[in-house]
Amino acid sequence: MSGTYLGMPAFPEAAAVSTQNAQLRANLSHATRTIRDKRAAAVAELTDWPELRQSGREIKDHTLRHLDRYLLQLEEAVTAAGGTVHWAADAEEANRIVADLVKATGEREVVKVKSMATQEIGLNEALAAEGITAYETDLAELIVQLADDRPSHILVPAIHRNRTEIRDIFADRMATWGRPAPEDLTDSPAHLAEAARLHLREKFLRAKVAVSGANFMIADTGTLVVVESEGNGRMCLTLPETLISVVGIEKVLPTWNDLEVFLQLLPRSSTAERMNPYTSLWTGTTAGDGPRHFHLVLLDNGRTDTLADEVGRQALRCIRCSACLNVCPVYERAGGHAYGSVYPGPIGAILTPQLRGTASEVDASLPYASTLCGACYDACPVAIDIPEVLVHLRERVAEQGTGHRAERAALRAATWLLDHPAAYTAATRAAVGTRRLHPRRLPLPGPAKAWSDTRDLPAMPEQTFRDWWKKNRGEGKTAR
Amino acid sequence: MRVALFVTCVNDALYPDTGRAVVTLLERLGVEVDFPAAQTCCGQPQFNTGYRAQAERLARRTADAFAGYDYVVTPSGSCAAMVRDQYPGLGCAGLGDLPDRVYELTEFLVDVLGVTDVGACYPHTVTYHPSCHGLRMLGLGDRPLRLLRAVRGLELVELPGAQECCGFGGTFAVKNPAVSAAMGADKVRNALSSGAEVLCGADNSCLMHLGGTLRRQDAPLRTVHLAEILASTEPEAAAHPQPDAHADPNGAAA
């Protein structure tokens, strides 16, 4: 993934910093609350939402089960339509393919459609290293790029910024990337949008090469689909001479008919719209219309490994709608950056450790970045049981034993105690017996301090329940 | 009808009043309750933290302890959800049909005993926090609210953002203390804004987190388990409530 995420601290440390940022929390809280209320209303309009959700899940599962077949069919259809298909095993290979394709055109700049896959592989940075400048054209991505920042949300990358911050970013930075912002720029949405529009228009009209991702790929026709709100995507997809699309292999759907399910699930789940404003579809190349050269880079980058995991593979159903981010109370407080990954929030917490592995500290911390409250599972339009995968990945992290030695010892000791009721009874009785000695906050590092920094420890009662029962109701069944 | 109380380890060691309230309540409703002493913990902390083999050991112990009872009733939606939703997936031998016999307290009252008015009296303003596992995994729905609405003298007020997680999350509370505390602070602010005297819930783990947050702030709101409200009958006693089970017996606040 993107080099900009290397060296990120683990989630708890990063979140401890971001939760202290009052402006960030206010921005996130306001934005996620607005989106999730609107989304709930949009979803409630459809009486067959549960059936649609089930269809989405089944189509994705079927496709993943026969992924090899559908990818080969897709390659054949794209090639027959005049496109060229490239296969990339990892980020490095994908970046090399794209850089070589751009260099072959003789160009030194590309315009980009917002794409999670190209962020995942750090394409912009890889192109920059080859002397090629990549211009993001999605409004939010533009804000993030101008600010030399990182996206904080899958759908709304600049969710952590408010209007005043955006005005300042435009005024300070636009000139270094192209057309400057107007002198009298205010923070009104119309002014900001017009400034971005003028800035971007120059790039659309000049660019000879565009790079995109895709929301879906249709195996039987070789068609790619981009769903967006602003129209910048359509400009990039139609104006340049060469179009290069980098797409994760899990984005394929078997047939054109399958698309109707996802074109209902995606916009309602993501932007709370009945239909997104722009749906662009392209199939290879067409003489006299659109790009003359079309390249499709099919990206693995950990996806086949994810597919091999029986529990974890359901993460590949994800259609990147962000519904799970918008309902997640942890995401709302910590913000996207704390996840140290281009995929933040609940889906990031299960997707990233599968794509990257759990060896690094940040990746090992992600499966624990959840209270398992289940709101994400309820919201997911393709019914990914995110809590189930989180627990599954926690098992993987616990097994590898990195950085959790004290926890392992504590849980082993607790389990032994809990599996021996006589010892357990004695231990709880001892705790109750010494209750007057227990402080309400603890100075030493460890779980008790982590608890009592902000919360009082619970006071011990005078008697455990089991001792009360024994005294008042008799023995019950004998302890074994 | 053989009914066993699954008190849970948290209630046994820290909140015995909740266990006693369940016994009082069920006996008042004519149910003979037993407490199998071989029970300890359902294994949820182990399971949710990634220690599956240890969770399996405790699951087998729990199934063994409750063998032979028609109903196993617990004042914890979270532990009921562990047994019902997670035990089948553990796939280890010896669990029998325990998942089918486990009932969270409000489910047992409403679905099995068929009562919503349990004859309780509790003259206080109360707001209810539906804990996530009861809400989403068990689907308790409005059962707790129906029971609360039938309590004499009780004024039920709405909790803003009720369905949002309180930030406890088991080991999450110590593994991610900053986020946990931020969520708890927001929940507490919402509870205070409801104007209630009592923040009620059906899971003492969440109430431990919220009660600890409230006490640290010296906030004028106390946490009480739903079972203790449903067990209350005497208006005189309720008007002068017992010292808060969640309060510090040592006296002055820090």
Side-chain angles (χ1 to χ4, degrees):
Chain A
M1 283 192 191
S2 168
T4 50
Y5 290 95
L6 287 178
M8 279 289 293
F11 182 82
E13 289 82 50
V17 174
S18 57
T19 51
Q20 297 305 314
N21 183 337
Q23 183 65 59
L24 174 79
R25 278 195 47 200
N27 294 352
L28 280 170
S29 176
H30 174 72
T32 55
R33 196 169 298 273
T34 306
I35 302 175
R36 71 173 174 256
D37 289 350
K38 281 173 64 184
R39 177 193 171 273
V43 165
E45 284 183 352
L46 292 185
T47 53
D48 63 344
W49 184 260
E51 290 80 11
L52 271 173
R53 187 178 187 237
Q54 184 62 20
S55 296
R57 172 195 177 140
E58 285 172 9
I59 292 167
K60 280 282 184 181
D61 278 351
H62 166 86
T63 315
L64 290 169
R65 226 171 9 252
H66 306 284
L67 193 58
D68 52 345
R69 167 153 59 95
Y70 287 119
L71 286 172
L72 290 173
Q73 190 187 2
L74 175 76
E75 179 180 36
E76 200 174 312
V78 169
T79 309
T84 308
V85 175
H86 310 259
W87 298 80
D90 56 23
E92 195 185 345
E93 188 175 10
N95 288 334
R96 165 63 38 213
I97 291 167
V98 177
D100 286 349
L101 287 170
V102 177
K103 281 195 273 185
T105 66
E107 294 296 315
R108 284 290 161 199
E109 57 184 37
V110 302
V111 285
K112 283 190 70 203
V113 186
K114 174 176 156 23
S115 145
M116 296 308 296
T118 58
Q119 276 178 25
E120 177 188 322
I121 60 176
L123 179 66
N124 291 7
E125 293 80 359
L127 290 177
E130 301 275 352
I132 299 162
T133 309
Y135 293 110
E136 295 290 349
T137 67
D138 172 85
L139 177 56
E141 289 290 353
L142 172 69
I143 295 164
V144 169
Q145 189 174 42
L146 289 174
D148 201 16
D149 194 357
R150 283 176 285 115
S152 180
H153 190 282
I154 290 175
L155 186 79
V156 198
I159 195 169
H160 56 302
R161 300 288 197 176
N162 62 26
R163 278 189 294 161
T164 312
E165 291 174 282
I166 293 166
R167 192 216 79 93
D168 294 345
I169 292 166
F170 279 10
D172 292 348
R173 306 299 299 272
M174 261 183 178
T176 61
W177 282 81
R179 185 187 172 113
E183 289 284 324
D184 57 349
L185 183 66
T186 72
D187 68 357
S188 87
H191 269 184
L192 295 174
E194 184 62 11
R197 190 178 141 89
L198 294 170
H199 179 82
L200 288 171
R201 178 78 34 149
E202 288 188 354
K203 297 198 161 58
F204 292 136
L205 293 174
R206 198 173 64 205
K208 297 279 191 286
V209 182
V211 174
S212 85
N215 294 95
F216 307 101
M217 305 183 285
I218 316 286
D220 70 348
T221 59
T223 305
L224 273 73
V225 184
V226 158
V227 171
E228 44 130 5
S229 297
E230 297 167 12
N232 64 302
R234 183 160 295 176
M235 302 286 266
C236 293
L237 296 166
T238 51
L239 286 171
E241 291 169 8
T242 300
L243 172 60
I244 304 166
S245 299
V246 182
V247 190
I249 52 175
E250 83 283 14
K251 296 270 176 148
V252 68
L253 296 175
T255 71
W256 184 267
N257 277 353
D258 296 319
L259 193 58
E260 64 108 358
V261 171
F262 295 96
L263 289 184
Q264 294 181 75
L265 287 173
L266 181 54
R268 283 180 200 262
S269 297
S270 56
T271 51
E273 291 169 300
R274 294 174 184 140
M275 190 72 218
N276 49 286
Y278 294 88
T279 302
S280 301
L281 304 101
W282 69 101
T283 309
T285 55
T286 305
D289 185 16
R292 271 173 272 160
H293 310 285
F294 169 57
H295 296 273
L296 170 59
V297 182
L298 289 171
L299 178 71
D300 185 327
N301 205 36
R303 285 162 175 75
T304 49
D305 289 342
T306 305
L307 192 57
D309 187 300
E310 281 181 33
V311 179
R313 66 174 58 140
Q314 57 187 306
L316 296 178
R317 281 189 220 136
C318 176
I319 57 173
R320 312 286 189 262
C321 72
S322 306
C324 62
L325 276 64
N326 298 328
V327 297
C328 179
V330 175
Y331 173 85
E332 185 182 330
R333 273 78 184 186
H337 293 161
Y339 293 78
S341 147
V342 295
Y343 303 108
I347 188 64
I350 63 167
L351 193 56
T352 302
Q354 294 201 88
L355 295 179
R356 297 199 298 211
T358 50
S360 77
E361 205 189 336
V362 61
D363 292 326
S365 74
L366 289 178
Y368 296 93
S370 165
T371 64
L372 305 179
C373 82
C376 49
Y377 181 24
D378 275 6
C380 179
V382 286
I384 301 170
D385 190 342
I386 293 175
E388 180 188 22
V389 183
L390 287 167
V391 170
H392 173 71
L393 293 173
R394 289 176 186 188
E395 279 176 41
R396 192 184 291 179
V397 172
E399 271 165 26
Q400 78 192 22
T402 44
H404 293 272
R405 223 169 274 157
E407 171 189 286
R408 179 193 298 257
L411 276 170
R412 281 218 177 115
T415 304
W416 183 87
L417 203 63
L418 292 163
D419 205 18
H420 293 80
Y424 164 78
T425 303
T428 50
R429 203 173 279 160
V432 167
T434 57
R435 54 196 283 270
R436 296 203 177 275
L437 306 174
H438 294 198
R440 299 203 304 174
R441 52 175 100 185
L442 292 171
L444 298 173
K449 177 166 167 28
W451 178 277
S452 65
D453 273 349
T454 58
R455 296 156 286 208
D456 279 10
L457 289 164
M460 295 301 285
E462 289 175 30
Q463 189 181 38
T464 64
F465 175 81
R466 67 182 58 228
D467 279 348
W468 173 85
W469 177 272
K470 195 173 169 184
K471 200 170 159 199
N472 292 278
R473 292 291 191 283
E475 285 290 332
K477 276 172 80 177
T478 317
R480 274 162 283 190
Chain B
M1 182 161 72
R2 298 197 66 215
V3 177
L5 169 62
F6 170 27
V7 78
T8 81
C9 54
V10 167
N11 290 325
D12 181 20
L14 296 173
Y15 300 106
D17 286 354
T18 297
R20 289 207 293 269
V22 177
V23 174
T24 305
L25 174 65
L26 292 180
E27 287 179 350
R28 194 170 78 219
L29 294 169
V31 178
E32 195 182 324
V33 192
D34 195 10
F35 176 74
Q39 65 177 287
T40 56
C41 167
C42 64
Q44 182 175 196
Q46 288 77 2
F47 180 78
N48 280 351
T49 314
Y51 296 82
R52 189 190 179 96
Q54 300 178 32
E56 285 178 9
R57 261 171 75 182
L58 295 175
R60 283 194 295 269
R61 153 160 300 283
T62 303
D64 204 26
F66 293 110
Y69 290 94
D70 301 318
Y71 297 99
V72 177
V73 180
T74 180
S76 163
S78 189
C79 304
M82 174 66 194
V83 175
R84 193 182 305 164
D85 285 12
Q86 310 292 14
Y87 276 18
L90 285 176
C92 60
L95 299 183
D97 62 348
L98 179 65
D100 303 327
R101 292 182 286 119
V102 161
Y103 285 80
E104 186 275 336
L105 176 65
T106 66
E107 284 178 324
F108 184 73
L109 295 171
V110 175
D111 299 356
V112 179
L113 298 184
V115 292
T116 47
D117 184 348
V118 297
C121 176
Y122 194 79
H124 296 282
T125 310
V126 175
T127 194
Y128 175 74
H129 166 60
S131 294
C132 300
H133 291 174
L135 178 74
R136 299 197 181 85
M137 290 172 88
L138 294 181
L140 291 183
D142 67 349
R143 289 179 186 85
L145 296 174
R146 283 159 65 195
L147 288 159
L148 285 169
R149 285 194 200 105
V151 174
R152 281 191 307 285
L154 186 149
E155 189 194 343
L156 187 64
V157 294
E158 197 182 330
L159 175 65
Q163 303 204 344
E164 276 177 40
C165 178
C166 69
F168 172 65
T171 48
F172 178 84
V174 290
K175 287 175 98 71
N176 286 284
V179 181
S180 175
M183 290 166 67
D186 289 349
K187 178 65 74 177
V188 156
R189 194 171 54 245
N190 283 335
L192 288 167
S193 79
S194 74
E197 300 162 66
V198 171
L199 173 58
C200 159
D203 259 295
N204 271 331
S205 319
C206 306
L207 295 183
M208 175 170 73
H209 163 65
L210 295 173
T213 306
L214 283 162
R215 279 201 309 285
R216 180 60 56 90
Q217 300 176 6
D218 283 330
L221 179 66
R222 59 204 172 90
T223 49
V224 176
H225 193 283
L226 176 67
E228 295 170 47
I229 292 178
L230 299 181
S232 300
T233 48
E234 293 298 319
E236 292 79 13
H240 306 284
Q242 294 292 307
D244 181 3
H246 300 221
D248 180 4
N250 298 328

